[in-house]
Amino acid sequence: MPTAAITGSGVFTPPETITNAELVAAYNAYADRWNAGNADAIAAETIVAKPYSSEDFIVAASGIESRYVMEKAGILDPDRMYPRFRARSDDEPSMMAEIAQDAIAKALAQAGLDGSDVDLVICAASNLERAYPAVAVEIQDLIGAGGFAFDMNVACSSATFGIQLAADMIKSGSVRAAVVVNPEITSGHHEWRDRDCHFIFGDVCTATVLQPATDAKGAHFRVLSTRCATEFSNNIRNNAGFLRRTRDQMEDRRDMQFMQNGRKVFKEVLPLVSQHMADHMADEGLVATDLKRLWLHQANKTMNAYIGKKVLGRDPEPGEQPNILQDYANTSSAGSIIAFSQYSDDLVAGDKGIICSFGAGYSVGSVVVERA
Ligand code: COA
């Protein structure tokens, strides 16, 4: 059975950024307007006034300083608070397919491949632009790939679950060159009017190329083993779906956007992920000193510091567990892949590391890789 390898990775970074200062100013202006519009009910104490958000809170609670978005003006408009995306005709590339093409081009260039070499495209993301045709099939067409393509959604673990699927298909011999692409336009399903989470997300797209290790043309990462796990929880939830379309109105969209009970997520996901990684390592005969790098899901700096310490048995050294969330915020399934793509070139043959994502479901996916 061939060993699968990650032979390329790429990141599309959107053109616009929103700093915490810009975000908080827009949110507070929105809160002022909402409070003014509801002044009588607030005075009568039938509803509670919206309190201000703060930059200091955001950095202290999450480590996030800025985020990239596809369109910032709509998000920062206090009368709107969601992005303005131009409606595209069915003859134009869809938005997810367009950013996917950019990330895939970078990943394929690193692998030394052309789109026509690809025979599997998995579009793995936490939200899909439409029900069908699968966005992955459109991407397959745009890059000139053969074979087949399909969409999948495991929320923040979509990328690692996609990598497991692609690696398994390569090992079985059913495909020879796979692309797993993660177009995360989180700004479209984020609730920018909710102070408790308005700072969390950003947009991005990542892509990885997987092939049999024997086909690799340059430096690559052998996929030594993968492990996926899920456990049902309502603590991160988004109710948008085709059965909810009758409720698709501005004032009634809250439960069709991202919702979470952040404190519970924090408490429940940390032990789940730490144990998952410990079990995966033990089954692979790996101990902490075997690992040169951890590329973790990028949701919260404190969370990552905790997981790193649990896995390594000590505080991670600088660079050993790179965080990108200060610049990108939480980019859902793409976070660990951005970290991997931007902080893996310096590893040398034989160095091992783990890519690990976690999130809604709950879901946890880990991929043990070795530089070759
Ligand atoms: N500005 C100022 N204050 C804020 C605020 C904001 N933007 N948001 C919340 N607060 C307040 C709260 O009202 C609360 O006040 P209180 O103590 O008077 O009730 C206080 O700050 C603490 O709020 P809390 O929600 O408990 O913050 P936290 O320390 O748990 O941090 C998260 C919030 C979301 C950053 C954190 O819970 C987290 O990262 N959780 C995991 C998220 C995750 O991984 N989700 C998966 C997504 S895919």
Side-chain angles (χ1 to χ4, degrees), residues 22-363:
E22 292 173 300
L23 189 74
V24 167
Y27 176 84
N28 290 348
Y30 157 76
D32 279 341
R33 289 175 200 197
W34 191 91
N35 290 342
N38 292 283
D40 291 346
I42 292 167
E45 296 185 357
T46 52
I47 57 171
V48 180
K50 285 190 188 291
Y52 280 160
S53 182
S54 99
E55 289 177 60
D56 289 347
F57 173 86
I58 294 170
V59 175
S62 69
I64 296 165
E65 294 167 19
S66 187
R67 71 280 299 139
Y68 292 93
V69 292
M70 296 297 287
E71 198 277 331
K72 75 188 266 189
I75 295 169
L76 296 183
D77 176 350
D79 290 323
R80 181 180 174 91
M81 305 290 281
Y82 64 93
R84 276 191 194 91
F85 293 146
R86 178 179 67 80
R88 297 180 180 213
S89 80
D90 289 355
D91 297 326
E92 294 176 86
S94 57
M95 230 172 132
M96 287 178 75
E98 190 171 273
I99 65 173
Q101 258 188 292
D102 181 281
I104 292 171
K106 290 168 182 155
L108 287 176
Q110 201 179 82
L113 295 183
D114 190 65
S116 60
D117 297 317
V118 173
D119 57 359
L120 169 65
V121 176
I122 301 177
C123 178
S126 58
N127 235 321
L128 275 310
E129 188 162 349
R130 60 171 178 267
Y132 44 82
V135 177
V137 179
E138 185 184 2
I139 297 168
Q140 174 195 17
D141 182 60
L142 288 170
I143 68 170
F148 61 104
F150 58 90
D151 293 344
M152 58 179 276
N153 174 358
V154 201
C156 289
S157 293
S158 299
T160 51
F161 278 51
I163 288 172
Q164 166 159 315
L165 258 176
D168 285 352
M169 283 195 246
I170 282 161
K171 284 196 274 184
S172 75
S174 56
V175 302
R176 286 218 60 97
V179 164
V180 180
V181 65
N182 322 105
E184 291 287 6
I185 306 179
T186 63
S187 59
H189 56 103
H190 190 29
E191 181 50 273
W192 300 94
R193 301 174 305 176
D194 183 337
R195 181 190 72 137
D196 289 6
C197 68
H198 77 121
F199 53 89
I200 290 181
F201 284 112
D203 298 335
V204 81
C205 182
T206 51
T208 43
V209 176
L210 285 103
Q211 298 175 264
T214 46
D215 286 358
K217 294 178 180 166
H220 56 279
F221 284 88
R222 286 168 8 105
V223 177
L224 298 186
S225 127
T226 57
R227 177 168 296 195
C228 297
T230 49
E231 190 179 303
F232 186 63
S233 166
N234 269 324
N235 286 325
I236 312 169
R237 189 168 172 124
N238 179 331
N239 283 331
F242 76 101
L243 295 180
R244 292 291 183 116
R245 289 195 67 181
T246 47
R247 299 180 53 197
D248 191 7
Q249 289 153 5
M250 253 192 84
E251 286 311 314
D252 190 21
R253 68 173 197 252
R254 182 62 193 101
D255 82 321
M256 293 172 58
Q257 310 283 65
F258 168 84
M259 295 186 296
Q260 79 162 355
N261 187 333
R263 280 265 143 207
K264 278 197 176 160
V265 172
F266 211 102
K267 281 202 187 105
E268 293 175 5
V269 166
L270 283 180
L272 197 70
V273 176
S274 309
Q275 194 59 51
H276 177 97
M277 292 180 79
D279 291 347
H280 193 177
M281 284 167 63
D283 289 350
E284 290 306 311
L286 292 171
V287 292
T289 47
D290 294 325
L291 297 177
K292 280 284 181 305
R293 197 140 305 165
L294 300 178
W295 299 279
L296 298 182
H297 176 50
Q298 303 285 316
N300 181 293
K301 201 173 166 187
T302 314
M303 225 166 168
N304 283 4
Y306 176 98
I307 294 168
K309 192 170 179 174
K310 270 272 179 201
V311 171
L312 299 176
R314 57 173 169 77
D315 286 322
E317 300 289 333
E320 206 172 14
Q321 182 194 287
N323 279 336
I324 52 86
L325 87 162
Q326 62 281 1
D327 302 318
Y328 282 86
N330 182 342
T331 48
S332 196
S333 72
S336 58
I337 306 299
I338 305 173
F340 172 75
S341 193
Q342 296 187 347
Y343 295 95
S344 55
D345 277 356
D346 59 313
L347 297 191
V348 298
D351 284 350
K352 296 185 183 71
I354 305 185
I355 303 169
C356 182
S357 68
F358 40 89
Y362 295 132
S363 57

